[in-house]
């Protein structure tokens, strides 16, 4: 049972470069989410997706692009990385949108933008 | 908008009991989650409350008062492995507009001393 996996686990890049963080889940969950976690802010929602080809903005979407061509994959792209995007990025999935549906998190990607 | 407050850090002794409080102000409420996060790891689900009252699960219990916008997580018989951050998160009412993801507090770093 692979669950939800993120790659890479660690990434160092330079300002202005494009970076794509990958997220893959094997549960066939409908909903997928991208969060970033920074000291002093906690986890903040970047984008989410209710199903393949359906995505929507979260709290902090600026500078990020997502796509969901297949249910199991939800990549997050930083089109032109900035130092302020240095963070730990977590992908999560849940079966449905109903209230009690638990979000399960991947192990995270630690991104440093120099 | 939403605002979630919890203490930044707490210290407790092995074998004792600790209560971590969370207060929230939110437009639309569809449940409150508690997650545990060990350093460098993914958040993992602990509990969910949507109705007022206490939910007990082994050594962990969670309480909710919707009228007061208040929840707590109670940890009994503390063990060293309980040293972690505890994240309070509120889910918006479905269809209330905006993101369907969770809104997290900044987390409470719990330190367990021998």
């Amino acid at each position: 049972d692979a669950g939800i996996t993120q790659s890479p686990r660690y990434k160092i890049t330079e300002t202005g470069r494009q970076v794509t963080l990958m997220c893959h889940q094997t549960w066939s969950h409908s909903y997928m989410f991208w969060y970033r976690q920074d000291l002093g802010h906690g986890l903040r929602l970047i984008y989410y997706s209710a199903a393949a080809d359906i995505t929507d903005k979260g709290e902090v979407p600026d500078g990020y692009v997502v796509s969901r061509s297949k249910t199991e994959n939800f990549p997050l792209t930083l089109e032109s990385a900035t130092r302020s995007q240095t963070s730990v990025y977590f992908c999560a999935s849940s079966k449905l949108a109903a209230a009690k549906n638990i979000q399960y998190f991947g192990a995270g990607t630690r991104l440093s933008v120099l | 908008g939403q605002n979630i407050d919890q203490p930044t850090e707490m210290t407790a002794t092995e074998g004792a009991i600790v209560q971590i409080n969370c207060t929230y102000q939110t437009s639309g409420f569809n449940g409150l989650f508690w997650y545990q996060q060990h350093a460098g790891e993914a958040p993992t689900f602990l509990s969910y409350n949507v109705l007022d009252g206490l939910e007990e699960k082994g050594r962990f219990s969670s309480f909710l008062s919707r009228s007061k916008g208040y929840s707590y997580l109670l940890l009994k018989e503390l063990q060293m492995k309980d040293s972690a951050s505890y994240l309070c998160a509120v889910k918006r009412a479905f269809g209330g507009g905006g993101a369907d993801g969770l809104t997290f507090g900044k987390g409470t770093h719990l330190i367990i001393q021998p």
Side-chain angles (χ1 to χ4, degrees):
Chain A
D1 185 355
I4 183 165
T5 55
Q6 294 184 234
S7 61
R9 291 295 315 279
Y10 303 91
K11 176 74 177 178
I12 299 174
T13 191
E14 297 176 338
T15 55
R17 289 190 180 264
Q18 183 179 79
V19 177
T20 296
L21 310 183
M22 305 302 293
C23 179
H24 175 78
Q25 52 103 357
T26 59
W27 293 311
S28 299
H29 282 175
S30 296
Y31 274 70
M32 296 187 75
F33 308 84
W34 274 106
Y35 294 88
R36 60 178 290 175
Q37 187 173 39
D38 306 286
L39 282 174
H41 285 283
L43 282 156
R44 291 180 291 173
L45 182 66
I46 304 171
Y47 269 96
Y48 73 103
S49 169
D53 298 321
I54 300 175
T55 63
D56 208 347
K57 296 177 180 179
E59 181 186 354
V60 289
D62 293 345
Y64 303 96
V65 174
V66 294
S67 62
R68 193 155 177 219
S69 57
K70 294 183 178 181
T71 301
E72 60 266 30
N73 297 324
F74 190 39
L76 176 75
T77 297
L78 289 67
E79 292 193 303
S80 179
T82 65
R83 288 196 178 91
S84 65
Q85 292 177 309
T86 292
S87 186
V88 181
Y89 291 85
F90 286 100
C91 178
S93 72
S94 67
K95 191 174 183 180
L96 295 169
K100 193 180 177 180
N101 273 268
I102 300 164
Q103 290 188 22
Y104 297 92
F105 286 80
T109 295
R110 187 174 294 272
L111 177 68
S112 294
V113 183
L114 305 179
Chain B
Q2 301 193 81
N3 188 42
I4 301 173
D5 289 314
Q6 49 181 133
T8 302
E9 186 173 285
M10 299 181 70
T11 302
T13 303
E14 190 177 15
I17 299 173
V18 69
Q19 177 175 312
I20 303 173
N21 296 325
C22 171
T23 59
Y24 64 89
Q25 296 172 315
T26 181
S27 54
F29 176 83
N30 207 17
L32 188 143
F33 291 78
W34 284 95
Y35 279 80
Q36 180 190 59
Q37 185 178 25
H38 285 99
E41 297 184 8
T44 56
F45 170 77
L46 285 178
S47 69
Y48 169 77
N49 296 71
V50 67
L51 300 176
D52 290 352
L54 189 68
E55 293 281 342
E56 297 185 84
K57 190 187 295 184
R59 295 189 298 115
F60 291 27
S61 303
S62 57
F63 171 84
L64 176 67
S65 168
R66 289 172 296 170
S67 62
K68 295 182 180 178
Y70 168 69
S71 173
Y72 68 71
L73 180 69
L74 191 72
L75 292 75
K76 304 175 185 176
E77 302 169 13
L78 286 169
Q79 302 174 9
M80 297 303 292
K81 68 178 182 179
D82 296 330
S83 290
S85 288
Y86 292 86
L87 315 180
C88 173
V90 171
K91 187 171 174 71
R92 294 171 64 103
F94 184 75
D100 285 318
L102 297 171
T103 299
F104 284 84
K106 295 177 182 178
T108 298
H109 183 211
L110 178 64
I111 300 167
I112 309 299
Q113 296 178 334

